[in-house]
Amino acid sequence: MNPLSASPDISVHLQELAALIQRHTGTDGTHITAIPELRLRRSSRRIEPTHSVLTPSLCIIAQGAKMASLADESYHYDASSYLVTPVHLPVSGKITEASPNTPYLSLQLTLNPERVLDIIRESNLQWDGQTGRGILVSRSAPPLLESALRLVRLLDTPEDMPVLAPLMIREIIYRVLKDEQGACIAQFSFPGSHAHSVLRTIQRIHQDYARPLQIEQLAREVHLSPSALHKHFKKVTAMSPLQYQKAIRLQSARRLLLTEHMEAADAGFRVGYESPSQFSREYARMFGRPPISDMRHLRENVDAANEYT
């Protein structure tokens, strides 16, 4: 969406937010800020799809557009939109609108589950009990953009950050929770809910992804039957627990190959594969190239490689 076609309030907010992100980045890439939960992203060109594991976070685009793919689903978001992922999800992301004159500009805010739960309790927010997808795209309303602007402005007054940044982050989370799709986040914060059981399963898979997946044991730990765990896990992640584990394994192996310069067979063994040939086949199926040629491609493509460093 062209920011100028948005409502007057949103257009003004987006222009200021884009200017701030532009000033605090300057160069392409993902930039860590003095506010630990806040990162800024700039890209002056469209890039090919890059694979990553999204951490629980909120992404607001101030300029440009992006597409995120989860399994066989695609989520498009642009200026005046935001994307939320309340759980770790293996996705493929692609910047679809960017140029040297009009670069892609966005902010990413890490979501702390304890902070989210505190806000839900204090606000007496309700949830309908349904299990939904662990990713959503929604339109940014003026109150949310105003909150985001105040947070990014703090980068110019570092002496105010310790006191004001936590308050502004809480306000941003509250605004998203109050949105029409806020239940996407809230569902994971209610102990005993199916979504919370899926969250615990995801955490366990991340801890032990190199070990064989024991669905029966995982189900017992979260007090669900294996069939119920499979059903609700797929509702949240769009994949089965085994498919999820495979994606985490392959992305972890890709990181090892790139950052530690490991041999392909060694990386495969490290993440849980017993067969080098099976590892190479599944790696090529996910990333489009076998490990050796993929590493050559990544090292020639700075944007893609940066996702793993």
Side-chain angles (χ1 to χ4, degrees):
M1 172 183 289
N2 183 339
L4 297 179
S5 66
S7 69
D9 286 343
I10 290 179
S11 179
V12 171
H13 295 330
L14 288 173
Q15 289 175 14
E16 182 180 353
L17 186 58
L20 285 169
I21 295 173
Q22 179 90 299
R23 180 158 57 83
H24 286 286
T25 55
T27 59
D28 284 1
T30 300
H31 298 257
I32 297 172
T33 73
I35 300 173
E37 299 90 340
L38 179 66
R39 294 189 175 196
L40 306 178
R41 178 75 183 271
R42 180 189 189 277
S43 179
S44 60
R45 62 190 180 91
R46 291 180 290 179
I47 62 173
E48 66 177 65
T50 55
H51 294 264
S52 63
V53 179
L54 283 181
T55 58
S57 57
L58 162 70
C59 178
I60 297 176
I61 294 181
Q63 187 169 275
K66 192 172 184 179
M67 180 183 72
S69 297
L70 174 67
D72 296 326
E73 302 173 354
S74 295
Y75 296 83
H76 300 261
Y77 56 119
D78 55 20
S80 79
S81 298
Y82 67 82
L83 176 140
V84 174
T85 51
V87 292
H88 289 80
L89 289 177
V91 301
S92 172
K94 178 181 180 180
I95 294 175
T96 58
E97 289 184 18
S99 69
N101 292 331
T102 311
Y104 169 88
L105 300 166
S106 68
L107 67 85
Q108 182 180 16
L109 185 69
T110 300
L111 299 177
N112 180 285
E114 288 75 21
R115 179 179 279 158
V116 172
L117 180 56
D118 286 344
I119 296 171
I120 290 173
R121 287 171 172 168
E122 293 177 13
S123 307
N124 196 29
L125 293 171
Q126 301 300 312
W127 168 60
D128 61 10
Q130 299 298 312
T131 304
R133 191 72 83 228
I135 184 171
L136 71 85
V137 172
S138 192
R139 286 295 172 197
S140 300
L144 175 62
L145 292 176
E146 290 167 2
S147 303
L149 270 172
R150 287 196 293 273
L151 181 66
V152 179
R153 285 176 191 147
L154 278 183
L155 297 176
D156 292 325
T157 57
E159 68 276 10
D160 296 331
M161 290 180 190
V163 174
L164 297 182
L167 299 176
M168 294 174 182
I169 292 172
R170 286 178 62 85
E171 181 182 354
I172 291 171
I173 295 172
Y174 174 76
R175 297 295 181 189
V176 175
L177 286 169
K178 291 286 286 183
D179 194 9
E180 60 183 355
Q181 300 188 70
C184 173
I185 302 174
Q187 64 177 328
F188 298 99
S189 299
F190 289 88
S193 71
H194 291 132
H196 190 263
S197 296
V198 172
L199 170 62
R200 290 174 57 197
T201 304
I202 286 173
Q203 292 170 338
R204 184 60 182 272
I205 291 175
H206 274 266
Q207 291 171 2
D208 300 322
Y209 65 80
R211 297 181 181 180
L213 195 64
Q214 303 290 339
I215 294 295
E216 291 78 9
Q217 179 180 337
L218 287 173
R220 284 195 300 270
E221 290 178 2
V222 298
H223 308 293
L224 291 176
S225 68
S227 60
L229 175 59
H230 187 279
K231 172 185 174 182
H232 292 283
F233 194 98
K234 195 160 188 177
K235 282 185 177 181
V236 170
T237 67
M239 60 189 79
S240 70
L242 186 60
Q243 291 170 326
Y244 184 96
Q245 182 200 44
K246 183 187 296 186
I248 299 301
R249 281 181 168 184
L250 292 171
Q251 295 216 31
S252 298
R254 199 184 202 200
R255 182 175 290 103
L256 290 171
L257 289 168
L258 182 64
T259 61
E260 298 188 18
H261 302 275
M262 297 181 68
E263 296 292 332
D266 292 336
F269 283 128
R270 176 81 70 85
V271 302
Y273 280 89
E274 296 180 358
S275 166
S277 59
Q278 181 186 5
F279 169 67
S280 293
R281 286 196 305 271
E282 294 188 356
Y283 187 103
R285 190 176 300 122
M286 181 168 184
F287 299 117
R289 303 176 183 86
I292 293 176
S293 59
D294 184 50
M295 286 303 102
R296 187 181 305 115
H297 171 78
L298 281 179
R299 292 185 177 110
E300 294 172 353
N301 189 318
V302 176
D303 290 319
N306 282 342
E307 297 292 334
Y308 288 86
T309 56

